[in-house]
């Protein structure tokens, strides 16, 4: 008997979830798909870099010095004769990692913080959000610079520092989403079924609040990557021999007049990534907007 | 000659899923000095047909395929936009459903009232204002001199609708199109607005098109009735013809869906399941402001197995009572004894167990289901939570519930947005019944549904109530529906019970003025007698 009903369900017509529906709409947006494609490509390259990079990470050729693009070095070499393509590939690993990991940190803290504050409400909400306000009021550059100066420069701290700044907006967005959702009848129905608050937040509230969060995430990643580039440019971020796009651009800028390709190619890589993320974010915003979904 | 003559009107909407013929070969006439009611459910094309006459449907996606609309010797459908704009608001005026969203909240009512006059007839300001005052008086706004410079939010819903009517009439139109003008209003206010429209129409001898989903609403005022279904006119005729000798099965179905009969008094056990004692639920207990006393010192019993109807207008606290019993809002004072356990004192595990025994069905089936969960997930959640089924048997439990509420098993993996309103309400009922509760609060469970669907859902609830041995609290603003389903009825007014009794007692012999007023406001009561 029970087996029979399970086959019934397996055979039942599969419905279209809102996520699936959004994907169908996203698929019609060429620019967003282009962005998604570029991102997937860059991430794949970043993951495979140690195996596919044409030269070693620290391999120098001082005799060669800075040379323009050639058959041996597609994107040229820097003043120490290091292959620029290799540098960009390794730099991309750091830049993308900072972008994604710091955003993930922000996402985790921000979504949880905002969801709890919005759902519980009252005094808890007031205290939690005042804390956010106070952190907002700190000049974040000084905050990060201080962290870097006190604890020394290291990659993990950079993730945490950037994440710690970016989660604030995330928490605010989440909270306002949750506040509207909390009054929805399906949440009330979940309460009346006897579900615990944590289950309700996890299963009924967060999935319905994710749309704007996802969009905001795709816009946070580029700003985090820019922040890293900026910090590295100032000499506060990544330290050589490690490198990142921001650092490469910084060196490139110094020698812009003699060796323009040292600025051009890392700049191009960063710009392309940022554009892709913005296109994808725009596309997702349109695709997830439920108002446009039912015609 | 007829005031308005619509011939063979056809309107389509082109969407990404193909062309949808919203209005198909529709012809009707409106005479001066008559009210023509166009009746149909949502999606029947009744509003589209009227809006397209005034060029008020967006094109594209809308497209007028065929037909003509003769008004004063001219075909409205052929008029250029500039000409049509002169007709709109001057010769033909409209009143919409929601008076809140149709008035600009940042402009005083007086300014908005004189706008059409200033625009169409270039009337001097002082004269326009005098005219506005006269009209406000005429539509029953008390003391217009002092209220004309108020903003819309300072008026109640009914008063705003009166302002809208005044605005529509200010240019002395020959035709008034009223699109569900009373749907957003309380019953007592609805009755007043209906009366006002009929009076003004007689006095000015103009034509009125009254669009409604509810046959009962127009029963007292319409001269001609046009019934639409799926874009087509299925039947039209004068009022008595439609009400006494409806030929088309759809019209007959609409008529049958008007709940007319009182429920036969079942023999009930006198033993109460729930005893409510001095219940009070207040909101907004800020230190400075006076709390809103939504429910104030209310005591009553609900007997085992009965359906207790709760009626009242918006703001009467009827929904708050239901939510208070279920601990969905914090209770301020009083006791709710469920089988001699005080629900208001329960915590943790005991509260969770109590929640299993009482459930709720909401008004809006679009908001009461989690849009990200399939029917399976929605129904399985309570079954697993309360250990009614285990992982291996839950599928069977879900399918049993779907059978019970009349949903095809094939839909089990679909999402809420893929269902119609009636089907969603069935899912919501299934979720409420999943825990095998003893007590269910149904908060306006059919108000958001089309009339014919309402009847189906009500029948389903009655049948399931018997099958599951439920005790039910049925909250509604609609007395006719409550009388149909409830064994006993509580009448609420401003957070307090004004009267209670069986449907029969209340309807035949109401003791309180407020109850009498409510009863007189039931639309189409001429049909009930």
């Amino acid at each position: 008997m029970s087996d029979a009903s399970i086959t019934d369900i397996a055979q039942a017509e599969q419905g279209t979830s809102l996520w699936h529906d959004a994907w169908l709409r996203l698929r019609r947006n060429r620019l967003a798909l282009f962005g998604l494609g570029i991102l997937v490509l860059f991430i794949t390259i970043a993951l495979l870099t140690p195996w596919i990079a044409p030269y070693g990470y620290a391999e120098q050729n001082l005799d060669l010095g800075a040379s323009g693009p050639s058959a041996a070095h597609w994107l040229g070499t820097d003043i120490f004769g290091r292959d620029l393509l290799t540098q960009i590939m390794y730099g991309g690993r750091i830049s993308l990692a900072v972008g994604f990991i710091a955003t993930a940190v922000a996402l985790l803290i921000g979504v949880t913080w905002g969801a709890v504050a919005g759902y519980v409400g009252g005094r808890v909400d007031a205290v939690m959000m005042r804390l956010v306000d106070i952190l907002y009021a700190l000049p974040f550059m000084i905050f990060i610079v201080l962290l870097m100066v006190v604890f020394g420069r290291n990659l993990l701290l950079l993730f945490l520092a950037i994440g710690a700044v970016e989660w604030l907006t995330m928490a605010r967005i989440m909270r306002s989403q949750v506040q509207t959702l909390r009054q929805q009848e399906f949440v009330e129905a979940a309460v009346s079924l006897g579900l615990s608050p944590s289950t309700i937040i996890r299963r009924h509230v967060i999935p319905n609040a994710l749309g704007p969060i996802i969009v905001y995430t795709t816009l946070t990643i580029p700003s985090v990557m820019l922040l890293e580039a900026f910090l590295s440019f100032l000499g506060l971020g990544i330290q050589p021999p490690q490198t990142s796009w921001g650092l490469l651009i910084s060196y490139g800028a110094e020698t812009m007049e003699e060796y323009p390709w040292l600025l051009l190619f890392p700049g191009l890589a960063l710009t392309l990534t940022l554009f892709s993320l913005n296109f994808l974010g725009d596309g997702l915003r349109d695709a997830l907007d439920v108002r446009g979904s039912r015609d | 000659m007829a005031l308005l003559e619509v011939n063979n009107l056809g309107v389509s909407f082109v969407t990404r899923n193909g062309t949808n013929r919203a209005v198909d070969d529709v012809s009707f006439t409106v005479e001066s000095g008559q009210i023509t009611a166009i009746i149909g459910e949502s999606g029947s094309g009744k509003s589209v047909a009227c809006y397209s006459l005034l060029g008020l449907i967006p094109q594209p996606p809308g497209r007028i395929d065929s037909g003509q609309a003769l008004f004063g010797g001219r075909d409205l459908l052929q008029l250029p936009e500039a000409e049509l704009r002169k007709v709109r608001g001057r010769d033909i005026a409209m009143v919409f459903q929601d008076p809140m969203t149709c008035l600009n909240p940042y402009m005083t009512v007086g300014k908005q009232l004189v706008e059409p006059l200033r625009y169409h007839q270039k009337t001097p300001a002082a004269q326009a204002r005098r005219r506005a005052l006269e009209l406000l008086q005429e539509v029953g706004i008390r003391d217009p001199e002092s209220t004309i410079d108020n903003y819309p939010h300072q008026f109640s819903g009914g008063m705003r609708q009166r302002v809208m009517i005044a605005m529509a009439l200010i240019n002395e139109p020959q035709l008034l199109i009223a699109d569900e003008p009373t749907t957003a209003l309380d019953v007592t206010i609805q009755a007043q607005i209906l009366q006002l429209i009929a009076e003004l129409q007689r006095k000015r001898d103009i034509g009125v098109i009254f669009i409604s989903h509810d046959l009962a609403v127009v029963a007292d005022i319409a001269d001609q009735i046009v019934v639409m279904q799926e874009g087509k006119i299925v039947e039209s005729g004068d009022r008595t013809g439609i009400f006494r000798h409806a030929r088309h099965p759809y019209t007959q179905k609409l008529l049958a869906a008007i709940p007319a009969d009182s429920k036969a008094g079942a023999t009930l056990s006198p033993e109460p399941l729930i005893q409510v004692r001095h219940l009070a639920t207040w909101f907004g207990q800020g230190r400075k402001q006076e709390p809103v006393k939504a429910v104030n010192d209310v005591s009553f019993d609900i007997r085992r197995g009965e359906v207790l109807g709760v009626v009242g207008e918006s703001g009467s606290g009827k929904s708050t009572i239901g939510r208070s019993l279920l601990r969905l809002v914090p209770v301020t004072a009083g006791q709710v004894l469920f089988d001699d356990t005080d629900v208001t004192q329960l915590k943790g595990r005991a509260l969770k167990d109590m929640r299993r025994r009482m459930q709720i069905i909401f008004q809006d089936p679009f908001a009461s289901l989690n849009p990200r969960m399939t029917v399976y997930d929605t129904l399985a959640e309570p079954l697993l939570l309360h250990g009614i089924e285990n992982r291996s048997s839950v599928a069977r439990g879900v399918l049993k519930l779907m059978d019970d509420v009349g949903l095809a098993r094939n839909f089990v993996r679909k999402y809420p947005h893929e269902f119609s309103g009636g089907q969603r309400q069935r899912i919501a009922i299934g979720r409420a019944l999943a825990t095998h509760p003893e007590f269910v609060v149904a908060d306006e469970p059919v108000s958001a549904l089309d009339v014919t669907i309402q009847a189906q859902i009500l029948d389903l609830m009655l049948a399931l109530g018997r099958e599951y041995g439920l005790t039910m609290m049925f909250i509604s603003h609609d007395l006719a529906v409550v009388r149909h389903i409830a064994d006993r009825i509580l009448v609420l007014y401003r957070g307090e019970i004004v009267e209670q009794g069986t449907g029969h007692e209340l309807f035949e012999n109401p003791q309180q003025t407020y109850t009498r007023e409510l009863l007189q406001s039931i639309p189409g009561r001429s049909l009930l007698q």
Side-chain angles (χ1 to χ4, degrees), chain A residues 225-253:
Chain A
M225 289 176 69
L226 276 176
L227 196 57
E228 180 273 323
F230 180 55
L231 289 173
S232 298
F233 188 88
L234 291 180
L236 288 167
I238 308 297
Q239 250 178 325
Q242 280 186 324
T243 192
S244 75
W245 287 344
L247 211 55
L248 287 173
I249 291 172
S250 152
Y251 291 145

Side-chain angles (χ1 to χ4, degrees), chain A residues 1-2 4-6 8-19 21 24-25 28 123 184-196 199 203-205 207-211 288 290 292-295, chain B residues 15-17 287 323 326-329 352 355-356 358-360 362-365 367-374 376 378 381-382 385-386 392-393 395-396 398-399 409-415 417-418 431 435:
Chain A
M1 175 62 199
S2 134
S5 23
I6 286 163
D8 271 359
I9 288 175
Q11 282 160 359
E13 219 173 308
Q14 176 66 51
T16 323
S17 76
L18 291 178
W19 298 121
D21 204 42
L24 292 180
R25 253 173 289 138
R28 282 200 305 268
R123 238 165 250 163
Q184 297 266 331
E185 290 182 340
F186 68 82
V187 173
E188 247 185 306
V191 173
S192 103
L193 285 178
L195 291 171
S196 67
T199 315
R203 195 140 42 158
H204 293 274
V205 174
N208 285 293
L210 276 188
L288 291 168
V290 186
S293 72
R294 307 258 74 84
D295 22 328
Chain B
T15 67
R16 73 169 207 253
N17 303 324
R287 237 162 265 156
R323 283 170 164 78
L326 300 192
R327 283 282 300 272
L328 291 175
V329 291
K352 185 184 162 191
R355 291 208 183 281
R356 188 192 65 71
M358 33 198 232
Q359 283 298 311
I360 181 162
F362 293 97
Q363 168 174 3
D364 184 358
S368 67
L369 296 171
N370 184 340
R372 311 253 172 220
M373 281 165 71
T374 60
Y376 180 87
T378 301
E381 185 167 60
L385 178 73
H386 290 287
S392 61
S393 68
R396 191 176 44 188
V398 167
L399 292 176
R409 289 182 166 205
N410 209 19
F411 292 153
V412 67
R413 277 164 57 176
K414 294 223 174 241
Y415 290 84
H417 66 99
E418 298 172 281
R431 175 181 57 195
T435 62

Side-chain angles (χ1 to χ4, degrees), chain A residues 164-183:
Chain A
V165 171
E166 294 290 334
W167 72 268
L168 299 171
T169 316
M170 212 73 102
R172 283 192 169 175
I173 295 179
M174 191 65 192
R175 173 172 170 269
S176 68
Q177 284 290 312
V178 172
Q179 280 187 325
T180 19
L181 282 170
R182 190 175 60 159
Q183 287 153 13

Side-chain angles (χ1 to χ4, degrees), chain B residues 39 69 72 121 215 258 268 283 345 352 355 432 447 455 519 526:
Chain B
I39 302 295
Q121 300 183 359
L215 204 46
I258 300 175
L268 294 166
F283 293 111
Q345 300 302 323
K352 185 184 162 191
R355 291 208 183 281
S447 308
L519 290 175
S526 53

